[in-house]
Amino acid sequence: MSADLIELMSEAFADRVAEAASCVVSLGVSHWQRSGILWRPDLVVTSEQLLGERAEFTVSHGEATTVAKLAGRDPGTNVALLRLDTPLLGVLPESAPLPRVGSLALVMGADAAGAPTCRRAMLHAVGPAWHSQAGGRIDALLRLDVRLGADEGGPVLSPGGKLLGMSTAGPPRRTLVIPTATIERVLPALLADGHVARGWLGVGLQPVAVPDSMRTMVSCKSGMMVVSLADDAPAAHAGVLQGDILLDVDGTPARRARTLAAVLGPERIGQTVALRLLRAGELRTLNVLITARPVR
């Protein structure tokens, strides 16, 4: 690559960052500083896992400083919404198409004074929609090859300056992008109710192996043992007991909590699902009416 081409690419990246700088804010979170996206003049989107138990934050944006209060949070998608006391001026970039593995990305954030920061990244992995361990549906897997610091919660841009989504730190120390489509999907519920309603069974589960002598009868090798039951929860009302081994939910094998979360999305609230389980060596099926998970 020639020096002239490198210079042109460098200038192009700098231009994209300058164009998007107005949508980046700095958040004062306890003794730490993190970043957010000015989604609307009065609303900031950031990484939910950063906020702890606080409900009020200092927001810096260029030379302007204001206070933001928590408007809603969704641990399932790791999206939090803050409402600003004083609106700020900014332009949100238009949404980017789904990138390919190997595509470059610009990870933006803000320093403590609210000035924009940026680092270059590459799409290490791109995949289909997936469910987090907390039960949220993420519209695409977008994993970057960088580690985050104060820029967590800020915007991630395509090289052309379009918005891929919000950066967040995922396990184990991986950097993920929560896609723009996911943020747009959960924001109406956060604005209306402060949370995203999801279905639940109200059970604590532990993966276990099905005894060899019963595998032919139940047609599977593993399940999840019920180790705890929440009071007044759907599973308890349906007659589920501690020690039951859950085999599947409406035909979906019960092998991982994340798999079950996919079965118990918001659309299942008010519906009945069939639990196939093993109890004291006997195969049973219980019908459970799914209700909304209580708000923490």
Side-chain angles (χ1 to χ4, degrees), residues 60 80 116 148 155 158 175 198 212:
S60 298
L148 294 174
S158 70
T175 295
R198 291 191 175 87
D212 291 343

Side-chain angles (χ1 to χ4, degrees), residues 13-25 36-38 61 89-94 106 108-109 116-118 155-158 160-163:
F13 284 170
D15 287 343
R16 300 294 85 75
V17 171
E19 291 166 1
S22 68
C23 79
V24 186
V25 301
I37 306 171
L38 186 61
H61 180 256
L89 296 177
V91 178
L92 188 70
E94 65 179 276
L106 303 174
M108 293 191 65
T117 64
C118 184
V156 180
L157 307 178
S158 70
K162 296 182 179 181
L163 186 64

Side-chain angles (χ1 to χ4, degrees), residues 66 83 204 242 249:
T66 186
R83 189 179 295 278
Q242 288 189 29
V249 179

